[in-house]
């Protein structure tokens, strides 16, 4: 959740906007308040795709699906505008973290908690199927751990029985690692495919690991079709149920009633102390909206059935932080410092080649990006406080940060983006980053095998305190104490780090650069390990920017990556 921006409207229809919840491929999601005071989640289709017939049909079908599915495990449709642009729909707001966020922060859940969650989600899916709908994209990011029980969200690609499938670029629906083998092989996504996704989702909850490992989509999809699900270390009975649900043959998967029976739950999930504790990872709801003016998405006289437009006064933004002398000229709007915003995304930053030509990150040549537009869970949770330093650990300006928790960031070179988990903290101000490889270096400053990674603040932030940034580069596979790849695909190591620097050091608007592998190393088993060459582990490499308070207190604020070629 993050504050509204100047480009956001004050109202959508009759609903007063409070904050941004996240964004997806279809559009932006806001937290809003109805005229009667009810909290709602409002999804607005992106303006640039409103003229795309397939995208519009998908959005309208999502609204109709949410309207049709009435269940204790789904958020009800409150309001919608589907006749003319702008197109939007409003559903009940469910407070709580996503399962993906909760597991990323807490780790694997106990077997009994997983059984309760398994049974509850199976009951929720049964309600969805009873409405004649298959979800088709069940995954940890689409499960919200609400106070009254888990909720299934995002019916953007759900389909009723007998409906024509809407595809996108010829791709199978769903998410790699959670999409059933028959769907990946071109078959239909029926109820059994939802059971597969349910089993894969619970495998993630029970292990804290992606059910079919990490890597590019094609690699993960291949494992889902040909290899068993990862249930190493899971309680045998629970592991057997997960394996049954993720059977390669859809005919061999149990029905949802059998899943519930095999879970053998004897109490309510909301009474489980571990489940209740996960709610603490959620975010507090703003008491007032962040602002009251902005470009409107509906005419002032818009009044849907049963509603009357209303407005509310909101507070002003936070005051600048003390403790740093004012710098030369310029002002900048604040992004709340230290606020645990769960959604951060990327917009291309253009790098000008000789002659004025541009090249951007998504085009595969540049790699620059700026943290300006969010992308995260529909009702994501708040990150916990930074880890407390161990006894005797130094506290103060950081140098080389150390690993304090598993690093789950993973860059997908095919999609040009990082997967969940979302950053633990919003970057301060208008933060930008860039990644340039030797093959893309139009000034020929880099040698073969080198990568230049940059960062800066795009706008001055007067009176801001020091803001140390440590760049982390992580290969696909973990390394041993000699820096050699272990071929462990689920790399949970922190990665190789460069010395932390204050982003405001010197000229605060100038780019600051580090070069891989020259400037990077890792502390492993009490030994400092030099960064290996890229050729050791060709494929997608992850770049993480971490805000460091000390060597043992640091949070990820942004993730990029690049594709290393052998």
């Amino acid at each position: 959740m993050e504050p509204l921006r100047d480009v956001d409207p004050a109202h959508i229809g009759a609903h007063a906007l409070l904050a941004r919840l996240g964004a997806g491929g279809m559009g932006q999601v806001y937290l809003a308040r109805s005229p009667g005071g009810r909290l709602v989640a409002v999804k607005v289709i992106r303006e640039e795709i409103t003229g795309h017939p397939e995208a519009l049909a998908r959005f309208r079908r999502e609204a109709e699906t949410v309207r049709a599915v009435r269940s204790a495990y789904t958020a009800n449709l409150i309001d919608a505008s589907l006749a003319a642009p702008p197109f939007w729909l409003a559903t009940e707001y469910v407070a709580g973290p996503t399962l993906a966020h909760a597991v990323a922060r807490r780790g694997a859940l106990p077997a009994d908690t997983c059984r309760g969650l398994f049974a509850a989600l199976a009951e929720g899916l049964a309600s969805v199927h009873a409405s004649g709908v298959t979800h088709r994209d069940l995954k940890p990011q689409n499960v919200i751990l609400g106070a009254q029980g888990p909720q299934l969200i995002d019916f953007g690609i759900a389909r009723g029985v007998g409906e024509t499938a809407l595809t996108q670029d010829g791709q199978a629906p769903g998410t790699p690692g959670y999409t059933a083998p028959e769907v990946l092989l071109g078959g239909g996504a029926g109820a059994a495919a939802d059971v597969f996704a349910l089993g894969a989702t619970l495998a993630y909850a029970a292990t804290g690991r992606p059910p079919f490992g990490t890597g590019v989509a094609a690699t993960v999809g291949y494992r889902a079709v040909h290899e068993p699900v990862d249930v190493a270390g899971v309680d045998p009975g629970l592991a057997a149920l997960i394996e049954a649900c993720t059977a390669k043959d859809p005919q061999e998967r149990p029905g949802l009633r059998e899943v519930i029976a095999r879970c053998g739950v004897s109490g309510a999930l909301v009474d489980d102390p571990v489940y209740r504790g996960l709610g603490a990872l959620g975010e507090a709801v703003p008491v007032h909206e962040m602002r009251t003016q902005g470009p409107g998405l509906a005419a002032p006289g818009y009044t849907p059935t049963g509603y009357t437009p209303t407005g509310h006064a909101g507070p002003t933004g936070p005051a600048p932080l003390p403790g740093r002398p004012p710098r030369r000229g310029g002002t900048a709007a604040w992004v709340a410092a230290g606020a645990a915003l769960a959604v951060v995304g990327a917009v291309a930053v253009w790098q000008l080649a000789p002659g004025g030509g541009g090249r951007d990150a998504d085009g595969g040549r540049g790699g620059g990006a700026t943290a300006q537009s969010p992308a995260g869970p529909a009702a994501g949770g708040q990150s916990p406080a930074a880890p407390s330093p161990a006894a005797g650990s130094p506290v103060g300006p950081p140098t080389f940060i150390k690993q304090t928790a598993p690093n789950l960031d993973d860059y997908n070179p095919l999609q040009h983006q990082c997967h969940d988990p979302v950053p633990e903290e919003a970057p301060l101000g208008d933060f930008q980053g860039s990644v340039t490889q030797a093959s893309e270096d139009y000034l020929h400053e880099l040698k073969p095998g080198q990568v230049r990674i940059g960062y800066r603040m795009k706008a001055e932030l007067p009176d801001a305190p020091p803001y140390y940034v440590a760049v982390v580069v992580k290969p696909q596979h973990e390394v041993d104490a000699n820096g050699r790849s272990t071929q462990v695909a689920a790399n949970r190591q922190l990665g190789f780090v460069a010395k932390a620097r204050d982003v405001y050091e010197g000229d605060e608007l100038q780019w600051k650069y580090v070069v891989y592998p020259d400037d990077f190393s890792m502390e492993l088993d009490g030994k400092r390990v030099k960064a290996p060459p890229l050729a050791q582990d060709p494929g997608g490499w992850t770049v993480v920017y971490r805000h460091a308070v000390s060597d043992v207190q640091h949070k990820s604020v942004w993730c990029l990556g690049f594709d290393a070629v052998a």
Side-chain angles (χ1 to χ4, degrees), residues 43 59-71 74-79 89-92 131 133 152-156 158:
K43 178 185 285 188
F59 188 73
R60 284 174 169 161
R61 190 174 67 188
E62 178 178 5
E64 292 306 315
T65 299
V66 175
R67 190 192 308 274
V69 176
R70 311 291 290 187
S71 168
T74 59
N76 291 327
L77 184 71
I78 302 299
D79 194 7
L89 62 88
T91 63
E92 293 176 304
S131 301
V133 173
L152 300 171
I153 63 169
D154 199 348
F155 288 83

Side-chain angles (χ1 to χ4, degrees), residues 7-293:
V7 296
D8 295 323
H11 292 80
I12 294 178
H15 308 289
L17 299 193
L18 304 177
R20 286 181 165 217
L21 288 176
M26 292 289 288
Q28 179 69 47
V29 183
Y30 296 98
L31 176 65
R33 185 188 295 118
S34 74
R38 187 177 194 176
L39 291 175
V40 296
V42 182
K43 178 185 285 188
V44 184
I45 192 170
R46 290 190 288 120
E47 183 177 352
E48 58 266 34
I49 64 173
T50 55
H52 194 293
E54 186 175 283
L56 184 55
R58 190 184 304 275
F59 188 73
R60 284 174 169 161
R61 190 174 67 188
E62 178 178 5
E64 292 306 315
T65 299
V66 175
R67 190 192 308 274
V69 176
R70 311 291 290 187
S71 168
Y73 298 94
T74 59
N76 291 327
L77 184 71
I78 302 299
D79 194 7
S81 176
L82 304 174
F87 303 101
W88 55 269
L89 62 88
T91 63
E92 293 176 304
Y93 171 70
V94 181
T98 65
L99 177 60
H101 181 83
V103 172
R105 300 284 82 82
R106 182 199 182 281
L109 304 181
D112 286 346
T113 303
C114 286
R115 288 190 181 92
L117 184 60
F118 218 147
L121 291 176
E123 185 178 345
L125 269 184
S127 297
V128 172
H129 292 174
S131 301
V133 173
T134 52
H135 190 286
R136 303 208 306 164
D137 198 20
L138 176 60
K139 57 186 176 182
Q141 295 92 327
N142 285 344
V143 175
I144 296 180
L145 305 180
Q148 303 304 316
Q151 299 279 303
L152 300 171
I153 63 169
D154 199 348
F155 288 83
I157 63 172
R159 183 156 60 95
V161 176
E163 286 185 338
T164 302
L166 295 175
T167 60
Q168 184 174 4
D169 300 328
Q171 298 176 355
T175 301
Y178 301 92
T179 303
E182 66 270 22
V183 179
L184 293 171
L185 295 174
D194 278 351
V195 173
F196 180 95
L198 175 62
T201 296
L202 265 295
Y204 172 79
T207 66
R209 302 184 297 270
F212 293 96
T214 59
V216 299
T219 299
V220 175
Y222 178 88
R223 297 192 196 110
V225 173
H226 298 287
E227 298 179 7
V229 66
D230 176 11
V231 287
V234 177
D235 171 84
L238 179 60
L241 180 54
I242 291 173
E243 289 171 331
C245 289
T246 56
K248 307 306 180 186
D249 185 348
Q251 299 298 322
E252 296 180 0
R253 296 172 202 150
L256 293 171
R257 288 186 180 180
E258 180 182 344
V259 171
I260 295 171
R262 289 178 63 174
C263 287
V265 297
S266 57
L269 176 61
V270 295
D271 292 331
D272 181 286
V274 174
Y275 183 86
R276 290 202 308 270
L278 297 176
L281 300 177
E283 291 187 283
V285 176
V287 177
H288 303 288
E289 49 267 46
M290 302 301 180
R291 58 186 187 77
T292 58
Q293 299 183 45

Side-chain angles (χ1 to χ4, degrees), residues 224-425:
V225 173
H226 298 287
E227 298 179 7
V229 66
D230 176 11
V231 287
V234 177
D235 171 84
L238 179 60
L241 180 54
I242 291 173
E243 289 171 331
C245 289
T246 56
K248 307 306 180 186
D249 185 348
Q251 299 298 322
E252 296 180 0
R253 296 172 202 150
L256 293 171
R257 288 186 180 180
E258 180 182 344
V259 171
I260 295 171
R262 289 178 63 174
C263 287
V265 297
S266 57
L269 176 61
V270 295
D271 292 331
D272 181 286
V274 174
Y275 183 86
R276 290 202 308 270
L278 297 176
L281 300 177
E283 291 187 283
V285 176
V287 177
H288 303 288
E289 49 267 46
M290 302 301 180
R291 58 186 187 77
T292 58
Q293 299 183 45
L297 283 185
Y302 169 82
T303 308
T305 303
Y307 292 103
T308 302
T310 186
H312 306 275
T316 59
L321 296 177
R324 188 182 184 95
R327 288 186 294 272
R328 57 175 178 76
T331 59
W334 277 87
V335 172
L341 305 184
V343 284
V344 179
V347 175
V349 171
W350 288 86
Q351 300 180 350
L352 297 180
R359 49 188 184 174
D360 69 21
D362 293 333
R365 288 181 55 78
T370 176
Q372 290 183 339
S373 64
Q382 183 178 6
S383 300
S388 299
S393 298
V395 177
T399 51
F400 286 97
I401 63 173
K402 302 176 182 179
Q403 182 153 358
T404 58
N407 181 2
L408 304 181
D409 294 290
D410 180 33
Y411 175 74
N412 186 325
L414 294 182
Q415 298 180 0
H416 303 291
Q417 64 182 20
C418 292
H419 292 309
D420 284 339
V422 296
E424 300 167 292
E425 171 182 298

Side-chain angles (χ1 to χ4, degrees), residues 507-554:
D507 187 335
E508 65 191 67
L509 302 186
Q510 289 287 344
W511 286 90
K512 294 171 176 59
Y513 293 104
V514 289
V515 174
Y516 185 91
D518 305 41
D519 300 326
F520 288 80
S521 62
M522 177 197 299
E523 184 177 284
L524 192 61
D525 297 331
K527 175 183 176 182
R528 185 151 292 279
V529 181
K530 291 185 178 180
L534 298 177
Q536 173 176 290
D537 198 355
W541 285 55
T542 306
V543 176
V544 183
Y545 296 89
R546 301 190 74 89
H547 171 212
V549 177
S550 72
D551 287 349
V552 292
Q553 293 178 298
H554 45 85

